[in-house]
Amino acid sequence: MRAASNSHRGDGWRVLEILGHGLRALVMLAVIGWGVLALHFALPGPRSLVVAVTAAWAAIGAAALIAPWLAGRQASRSRWHGRSRPRRRPLVLVVRLTFVLALIILVTWWQGLEPRNDRDWAPDVARQLSVERDGDRITLHNVRDFEWQTPSTAIPRWETRNYDLSQLDAVDMVVSYWMGPAIAHTLVTFGFTDGRHLTFSVEIRRERNEAFSISGGFFKQFELNLIAADENDILRLRSNVRGEDVYLYRVGLSPQARRELFLAYLDEAERLRQTPEFYNTLTSNCTTIVFDMVTRIVAGLPRDARLILSGYLPEYVYDIGGLDTSHPLEFLRSRGYINPRARQIPYTAGSEAFSRAIRDGVPAADGGILHASSP
């Protein structure tokens, strides 16, 4: 009985040992994979150097992962042939120490990466919004109004514009689908009583000849930028030039909340001018940053997975009462699809015809109003 009990305990320890080895291997694989991606996306220098350093890291990681397994097999064969258990080869320790040293160097380099505002930027994100304020009078420098011919070519135009906060009377949410139903870009556009509209968009700040990458957004590949643009530029680019499916929803915000949200965008622009920040696909993107601004204005907003899966953001805003809840959401979606109307309006600099057309038939948010939490 005692022998059987000892046998069961031995089997249990072997199972735990196997599970421990498996967990260690998974953790190491995750660390090695993270390092490969971090070097691939963030290591500066010629491509050949990036490939060489990444390959060296992967080789060191693979050696550290495999070496203990090879040593264990050798020990098992020795026991099978009746030989005494060999001493652990110094090579295994050298491999492990090499991996630890390489990991320390990698993490130190990663922590030392700092966002910057002085790179060779792509033309459409080359400038940053700057603000002057005198009471309700707002002067914005570097408002973008490009005339796009293709998704990558445009006639550039950066403008200085003046706005009066007392004339601010509408807020609209625009959701542009570019990769399936779950992934969309979120923009917020403000309307004034004189018929003008201004759109804010939190975007990656790409370097010249650099393309967006969802994976790269996890690995400090891009800085953040806040673009203020004319709807003729930033919405037409998506609906008419890129061919994305673009939806506009009239958001119900009280006058005070509208004003505070507009000012929050200006504060965010100034913050990014003073303190650059990395874009993060999951935590610092076009939706989460807007949500953080809104939560400082409207208290009690719940966090939700739809803030990450931004394609479902309209459902979230509808559920919290931010849209016209007197109509079904599907009705608002069908009326808010701007592409057919947008394509009928030719580009005309300074014209509000595009803005009027895309709102034609879109219900106002009379059924739902969100109020600012501050008095």
Side-chain angles (χ1 to χ4, degrees):
M1 292 291 292
R2 185 176 301 170
S5 177
N6 289 337
S7 174
H8 286 310
R9 280 199 296 269
D11 290 341
W13 281 113
R14 280 192 291 272
V15 170
L16 290 176
E17 186 179 15
I18 292 171
L19 290 175
H21 288 318
L23 180 60
R24 181 186 67 85
L26 287 175
V27 170
M28 286 194 66
L29 282 172
V31 171
I32 294 167
W34 169 82
V36 167
L37 291 172
L39 291 167
H40 170 74
F41 286 113
L43 185 66
R47 193 64 198 157
S48 57
L49 174 64
V50 174
V51 171
V53 173
T54 304
W57 161 256
I60 293 171
L65 184 64
I66 295 172
W69 176 74
L70 293 176
R73 287 194 62 186
Q74 184 180 16
S76 297
R77 285 198 298 268
S78 297
R79 287 195 298 269
W80 176 263
H81 293 291
R83 296 193 295 267
S84 61
R85 184 174 181 177
R87 297 176 63 187
R88 184 178 297 275
R89 289 188 174 184
L91 180 60
V92 175
L93 296 178
V94 170
V95 168
R96 284 183 165 177
L97 288 175
T98 302
F99 175 76
V100 170
L101 178 61
L103 180 59
I104 291 172
I105 294 172
L106 180 63
V107 171
T108 302
W109 161 76
W110 177 259
Q111 293 297 331
L113 291 177
E114 296 289 343
R116 294 165 50 184
N117 278 335
D118 60 349
R119 305 185 194 275
D120 183 18
W121 304 111
D124 57 315
V125 291
R127 302 191 187 186
Q128 290 182 292
L129 180 67
S130 64
V131 182
E132 295 178 33
R133 183 180 177 189
D134 181 13
D136 282 350
R137 305 294 298 180
I138 304 293
T139 300
L140 301 182
H141 302 283
N142 296 327
V143 175
R144 203 182 75 189
D145 188 13
F146 281 25
E147 182 180 350
W148 293 91
Q149 282 84 40
T150 73
S152 58
T153 60
I155 299 173
R157 187 182 297 109
W158 297 94
E159 299 180 347
T160 294
R161 296 189 177 184
N162 298 297
Y163 296 93
D164 187 343
L165 287 179
S166 66
Q167 296 182 6
L168 181 61
D169 74 339
V171 177
D172 300 325
M173 176 181 69
V174 178
V175 184
S176 184
Y177 293 83
W178 56 276
M179 200 180 91
I183 305 298
H185 184 71
T186 305
L187 309 94
V188 174
T189 186
F190 292 85
F192 294 82
T193 55
D194 60 4
R196 294 188 300 162
H197 293 82
L198 181 71
T199 301
F200 290 103
S201 175
V202 177
E203 302 192 356
I204 64 166
R205 201 174 189 196
R206 308 177 332 277
E207 295 181 58
R208 193 180 300 273
N209 300 321
E210 190 175 41
F212 175 69
S213 164
I214 292 180
S215 301
F218 287 102
F219 292 95
K220 299 184 179 181
Q221 187 177 12
F222 311 108
E223 276 83 0
L224 271 172
N225 198 17
L226 179 60
I227 294 291
D230 194 288
E231 290 186 338
N232 267 301
D233 168 343
I234 203 162
L235 299 189
R236 182 188 294 274
L237 167 64
R238 288 165 168 79
S239 60
N240 294 26
V241 181
R242 293 180 182 170
E244 299 174 6
D245 289 321
V246 183
Y247 295 82
L248 184 144
Y249 300 89
R250 314 298 296 271
V251 180
L253 284 177
S254 67
Q256 180 188 350
R258 287 197 297 262
R259 179 189 179 95
E260 292 188 17
L261 181 57
F262 189 91
L263 293 175
Y265 269 106
L266 303 188
D267 290 342
E268 183 70 11
E270 186 60 26
R271 185 183 70 83
L272 290 176
R273 279 177 57 84
Q274 299 298 327
T275 309
E277 180 180 327
F278 282 119
Y279 172 91
N280 186 282
T281 301
L282 189 63
T283 60
S284 296
N285 57 51
C286 64
T287 303
T288 58
I289 289 178
V290 176
F291 177 78
D292 289 342
M293 287 190 287
V294 174
T295 54
R296 294 195 292 268
I297 299 167
V298 180
L301 294 180
R303 294 198 172 269
D304 192 287
R306 291 170 291 186
L307 298 169
I308 304 299
L309 302 175
S310 52
Y312 304 117
L313 185 63
E315 286 91 333
Y316 172 83
V317 179
Y318 185 86
D319 288 346
I320 64 173
L323 303 180
D324 183 4
T325 52
S326 65
H327 293 97
L329 178 60
E330 194 55 44
F331 175 82
L332 302 181
R333 195 193 314 274
S334 63
R335 291 296 182 93
Y337 184 54
I338 74 168
N339 292 53
R341 302 187 296 275
R343 290 170 182 151
Q344 295 176 2
I345 307 299
Y347 177 87
T348 305
S351 171
E352 288 297 323
F354 180 84
S355 295
R356 289 193 298 269
I358 63 176
R359 288 171 175 80
D360 186 26
V362 181
D366 297 333
I369 294 292
L370 299 177
H371 293 271
S373 54
S374 57

